[in-house]
Amino acid sequence: MKNKSLLPAAVRQHFLQDGSMLLRVPVLVTALFLLTSCASSQDKTGANLERQIKLQQIEQQLIAEPTAKEKRTAAEFEEQGDRYVLRGDSNRAYIYYVKGLAVAPDNVSLIHKQGALLLKKAKFSEAEAVYDKLLAVNNKNSVALEGRGKANFGQGKFTEAEQDFLAALAINPAHWQAQEFLGLINSRRQEYGQAINRFKTALSQQPHNESIGNNLAVTYYLNGNFQEAALLLKGLVKTSQNRKVYNNLALASFQLGRYDEAMDAFRRGSENEAVAYNNMGSEFLTSQKYKEAIQAFEKAIDLHPKFYPSAQNNLAIATHALSNAASEATN
């Protein structure tokens, strides 16, 4: 049953970050996370200057190879790119796919692989252009429609993304990622019933997919069904070490009044025990359980006394709130 009254209004705000949907709760409280398959494969090379310079050097070396070595077929370049994909080197793979396209600009297989790597590297506008090219040739290409949907989603163009995903599914209902992304779009709009149906459909096609299972659990949580959310998340943590999943389980357990279970999940989802106690205190604070919040924040500070401004600030807020509550009770 939907129970919106138990959820802080801020918990319903959605933000796109690193290719994934991040649901933020109030500043003092830990966050619920919606995951996407894009998030797990996000290319992080741009964040590391030294590695970026190295990648640029590699690219220059590859482009500068002697002309004799460039006399390969598009199929040979594609095969070389595929080998780099298997090694996890998407940057070299992309270069070889581009080399293949220089030989055969209309090679559909290479264009699809180019688009997929651009999505992986979060080059969403460039990926959109690639999929536009494919769809100009065949507007019934469901893989290209799904790909362009992901590119539009990454750019925050959710209406366009929704149209692409729906079109892809109309041609081929087996596109489970289209279902998952539609669920994310529905959740963003607070259309939780529709989102749940989308995630369930995707999960029926990919029953062991952690991203879909987590997203379904989070949507149950946002819809006020904490019992179902906790049940799903308990199943996920049996095989997952993802901190986000543990933190989501902690939040669902807390809403059910299972504070010991929530604390245990926060421990598993936090970098250290002090952070876990701070998160627990934040939940108590949001629930106006000020005494319990103060105890949790004090424990966090005891565990990390030298420098933990977040817990110290939260403790001050909880102490002030408790004082105000006591004053109101005596008036």
Side-chain angles (χ1 to χ4, degrees), residues 266-326:
F266 272 138
R267 284 192 181 99
R268 295 172 182 268
S270 304
E271 56 190 80
N272 57 56
E273 195 163 2
V275 173
Y277 273 105
N278 185 57
N279 287 339
M280 195 70 181
S282 298
E283 288 302 300
F284 279 127
L285 181 57
T286 301
S287 301
Q288 299 183 353
K289 296 181 180 295
Y290 302 125
K291 292 182 180 179
E292 294 87 343
I294 289 170
Q295 290 174 355
F297 293 138
E298 287 178 341
K299 182 65 175 177
I301 294 168
D302 287 342
L303 290 167
H304 203 311
K306 289 186 178 180
F307 185 73
Y308 203 165
S310 176
Q312 292 166 350
N313 182 58
N314 289 345
L315 175 59
I317 294 171
T319 303
H320 182 69
L322 179 61
S323 177
N324 284 346

Side-chain angles (χ1 to χ4, degrees), residues 49-158:
L49 180 60
E50 182 179 348
R51 188 179 178 197
Q52 190 64 33
I53 293 171
K54 183 178 179 181
L55 290 172
Q56 291 171 352
Q57 292 172 340
I58 291 171
E59 182 174 352
Q60 291 170 358
Q61 292 169 3
L62 289 169
I63 293 173
E65 285 181 353
T67 305
K69 292 186 179 180
E70 297 294 344
K71 293 182 180 179
R72 308 180 196 174
T73 66
E76 288 172 331
F77 280 124
E78 183 175 8
E79 183 181 354
Q80 183 66 50
D82 291 346
R83 284 200 288 270
Y84 279 117
V85 168
L86 291 174
R87 297 177 194 173
D89 191 341
S90 60
N91 294 286
R92 286 179 183 265
Y94 184 82
I95 291 168
Y96 278 100
Y97 291 151
V98 170
K99 286 175 179 283
L101 286 168
V103 176
D106 298 323
N107 186 301
V108 172
S109 177
L110 280 169
I111 297 172
H112 269 293
K113 290 174 181 179
Q114 180 189 27
L117 286 183
L118 286 169
L119 286 176
K120 183 177 181 180
K121 293 165 69 65
K123 302 290 186 181
F124 297 121
S125 61
E126 293 90 340
E128 181 185 6
V130 168
Y131 289 115
D132 280 341
K133 180 179 179 180
L134 286 166
L135 291 166
V137 176
N138 177 11
N139 63 3
K140 299 297 183 183
N141 186 332
S142 64
V143 176
L145 283 165
E146 184 183 58
R148 190 173 68 179
K150 293 176 184 177
N152 281 323
F153 185 97
Q155 296 174 83
K157 299 192 294 186
F158 302 114

Side-chain angles (χ1 to χ4, degrees), residues 183-194:
L184 291 170
I185 293 170
N186 289 139
S187 186
R188 181 183 181 84
R189 295 172 179 164
Q190 299 182 25
E191 300 166 349
Y192 299 125
Q194 295 179 47

